[in-house]
Amino acid sequence: MEQNKPQQTQEKRGMWSSRFGFLMAAVGSAVGLGNLWKFPYLAGENGGGAFVLVYVVLVVILGFTLMLAELSIGRNTNSDAFGAYSKIKKGWGFVGGFGILAGFLILSYYSVVGGWVIKYIVASITGIGADKGAYFTNFITSPVEPIVYHLIFMGLTALIVIRGISGGIEKASKIVMPALFIMLAVIVLRSVTLEGASAGLKYYLTPNFDEITLKVIIAALGQVFFSLSLGMGCMVTYGSYLNKDSDIEKDALLIPSLDSLVAIMAGFAILPAVFAFGFEPSQGPGLMFVTLPAVFENMPLGMFFSVIFFVLVFFAAISSSISLMEVTVAFGIDRLRWSRTTSVMVFTAVMFVIGIGASLSMGAWSGFLIPWIDGNSYGIFDFLDVVTSYYLLPLGGLLSAIFIGFVWGVPNAVKEIRIGSKFRSEKIWSVLIKFVVPVLVFIILLSTTGLLDKIIG
Ligand code: PHE
């Protein structure tokens, strides 16, 4: 049973069956609620164009650099996130460990929002009533219904992940992602051609430089990590199922580009419509669930567009949630030597339970607050979001950059990348990963915790 061990393990772990399949899975991981739900409302809360500009600048600096870093670590080691770092250097597994923890926490609340999306597919057909805000609040604060939908979303995610890499994740992504692009394009066309859309376009596309504050920068940084699935070993894990001859330099350019394209398209789908019908862009997480149904209602063929839209969001969400789950499941398979099925079942159960807390924190448990180092106290849902997006993911990204720059060594990483790529960007990447990215992320992270204020006085 133990003969030819590496090959056997790799077979047991699974592999992508094609480059297109891998790309769709990786883009599927990146494109999710982060793009369609978070990005438009963060832009709406943080000055529109100002946020978009900072976001794009950060994606250009960090996206390619860290994406390539994670893919190279994964492909080099063929291991789960924890095993990958510790295989290269004993004692560094904790970097991957942080990532696994982050993914675990993210999925616990991500799945709650995924459940809301399923509810809204149903509600698009059955009707939402006149007061969209009240409908949304009633739904998310009720004790049972959102948890049932959370269970459905978590269950569907588990069903795909149980089927493995090429048979489950890759197959699902190959269908879902192209469909998503087409549907999103339809909604964008509808939104930007509405009468009165131009005010929204202007808000979204003109950066007002006065509005670029530290808060906007921090929000954009967290969003870059979250949206690109970086800083938590997700791309390490996906990279570990790659063939040696894959061109990860190209992939690392393509994935962030497509992800940002979808985020920006989502803004085009939502903000012009919000302005056209005279709604507020800055209403936060409810933007998609409260404003859009009202927008659809005022549109010809509204029900049709509404169903399409929420199905699309669901597709995007599930192709991300499977990647979040895979990070933890791979850890169970590679480190704990569990079977894929056991790993999926155990982790699904625990994440489901944490998610119950996140869901209840919208209503029954809203008084239960957890203090955090930034001086604020958060409900469970917000706590999971804040701690992961603004702290754990940037910290993971920072550590992975330091790991490549000073532990594994840039030349070793370059050797790995060169196996399948010409690596024309070698010089610039080397400087970015070793100096620019760590310094930039460190400074923003420090200011997030408020320490910078104290240091500067
Ligand atoms: N990138 C996903 C989104 O935008 C979320 C995600 C974060 C997925 C981290 C995997 C890892 O929705």
Side-chain angles (χ1 to χ4, degrees):
M1 258 179 68
E2 286 286 271
Q3 36 15 357
N4 206 355
K5 202 167 166 214
Q7 214 179 327
Q8 266 218 347
T9 347
Q10 192 58 15
E11 225 162 72
K12 192 171 145 216
R13 298 185 74 245
M15 290 283 266
W16 305 114
S17 71
S18 66
R19 173 179 156 80
F20 179 70
F22 160 70
L23 265 179
M24 288 302 104
V27 173
S29 165
V31 172
L33 293 170
N35 308 57
L36 303 171
W37 168 63
K38 264 189 166 181
F39 185 85
Y41 89 69
L42 285 175
E45 278 180 339
N46 292 289
F51 178 83
V52 177
L53 179 70
V54 178
Y55 180 84
V56 169
V57 169
L58 287 176
V59 167
V60 171
I61 301 174
L62 300 170
F64 167 70
T65 314
L66 285 172
M67 185 70 63
L68 187 53
E70 288 203 14
L71 290 175
S72 70
I73 294 171
R75 196 186 60 186
N76 180 260
T77 52
N78 288 329
S79 228
D80 68 295
F82 183 91
Y85 285 91
S86 68
K87 249 188 196 170
I88 292 178
K89 189 80 186 176
K90 262 218 149 45
W92 278 78
F94 75 94
V95 178
F98 267 146
I100 293 164
L101 177 70
F104 196 86
L105 299 178
I106 293 175
L107 186 49
S108 305
Y109 82 90
Y110 201 87
S111 166
V112 174
V113 184
W116 299 352
V117 174
I118 300 180
K119 161 78 182 179
Y120 269 70
I121 298 177
V122 180
S124 299
I125 300 165
T126 56
I128 292 178
D131 191 341
K132 315 291 184 235
Y135 184 89
F136 179 64
T137 312
N138 276 342
F139 167 62
I140 63 168
T141 54
S142 64
V144 181
E145 206 190 351
I147 294 174
V148 174
Y149 282 104
H150 158 53
L151 178 65
I152 297 174
F153 187 85
M154 204 73 189
L156 290 171
T157 304
L159 276 180
I160 299 175
V161 177
I162 270 187
R163 306 180 69 113
I165 299 305
S166 58
I169 297 176
E170 183 174 343
K171 234 189 208 156
S173 309
K174 275 202 290 203
I175 303 168
V176 160
M177 294 316 291
L180 185 147
F181 276 115
I182 296 169
M183 288 197 267
L184 186 58
V186 172
I187 304 273
V188 169
L189 271 180
R190 176 64 277 196
S191 179
V192 298
T193 52
L194 285 169
E195 207 176 309
S198 58
L201 288 173
K202 190 161 161 252
Y203 175 76
Y204 187 48
L205 294 177
T206 352
N208 178 353
F209 289 92
D210 296 343
E211 292 190 59
I212 301 181
T213 57
L214 190 60
K215 179 180 162 259
V216 172
I217 297 174
I218 290 168
L221 180 83
Q223 176 63 10
V224 166
F225 278 98
F226 187 88
S227 187
L228 294 181
S229 309
L230 287 174
M232 54 151 284
C234 184
M235 292 300 163
V236 173
T237 309
Y238 270 22
S240 78
Y241 306 120
L242 274 173
N243 266 323
K244 275 292 174 201
D245 57 6
S246 51
D247 186 343
I248 51 177
E249 182 193 25
K250 248 193 213 144
D251 297 338
L253 269 175
L254 257 171
I255 301 163
S257 308
L258 289 172
D259 184 71
S260 303
L261 181 70
V262 173
I264 288 171
M265 281 171 80
F268 277 117
I270 294 180
L271 290 170
V274 166
F275 277 77
F277 292 110
F279 292 103
E280 266 302 306
S282 59
Q283 58 170 281
L287 187 67
M288 184 172 99
F289 294 101
V290 176
T291 315
L292 273 184
V295 167
F296 289 128
E297 201 178 71
N298 288 304
M299 259 181 201
L301 290 179
M303 181 173 128
F304 169 73
F305 282 111
S306 180
V307 174
I308 293 194
F309 183 80
F310 284 107
V311 168
L312 163 123
V313 180
F314 168 74
F315 279 179
I318 198 117
S319 59
S320 298
S321 65
I322 55 185
S323 75
L324 283 159
M325 187 179 279
E326 180 59 27
V327 174
T328 327
V329 166
F331 173 77
I333 297 172
D334 291 346
R335 285 315 100 203
L336 309 174
R337 300 274 156 208
W338 290 349
S339 72
R340 178 167 280 274
T341 313
T342 311
S343 195
V344 170
M345 308 257 249
V346 171
F347 290 128
T348 302
V350 183
M351 290 188 223
F352 172 64
V353 172
I354 302 177
I356 293 179
S359 182
L360 289 176
S361 74
M362 295 285 158
W365 290 4
S366 60
F368 175 67
L369 298 176
I370 310 165
W372 180 243
I373 51 172
D374 62 3
N376 296 320
S377 293
Y378 298 98
I380 300 175
F381 185 99
D382 292 338
F383 183 81
L384 293 171
D385 182 17
V386 167
V387 170
T388 53
S389 305
Y390 300 123
Y391 295 86
L392 283 178
L393 298 185
L395 182 67
L398 173 65
L399 288 171
S400 68
I402 292 175
F403 179 79
I404 292 208
F406 303 94
V407 180
W408 191 20
V410 172
N412 285 322
V414 167
K415 214 188 292 164
E416 174 65 36
I417 296 163
R418 275 196 176 280
I419 299 175
S421 322
K422 295 212 174 73
F423 206 12
R424 294 213 174 86
S425 55
E426 179 187 330
K427 283 218 175 75
I428 170 129
W429 183 78
S430 309
V431 177
L432 283 168
I433 194 75
K434 199 163 175 174
F435 304 108
V436 180
V437 168
V439 170
L440 182 71
V441 177
F442 183 72
I443 292 176
I444 305 182
L445 200 56
L446 210 59
S447 48
T448 311
T449 61
L451 282 176
L452 200 62
D453 286 352
K454 284 174 202 140
I455 294 169
I456 301 174

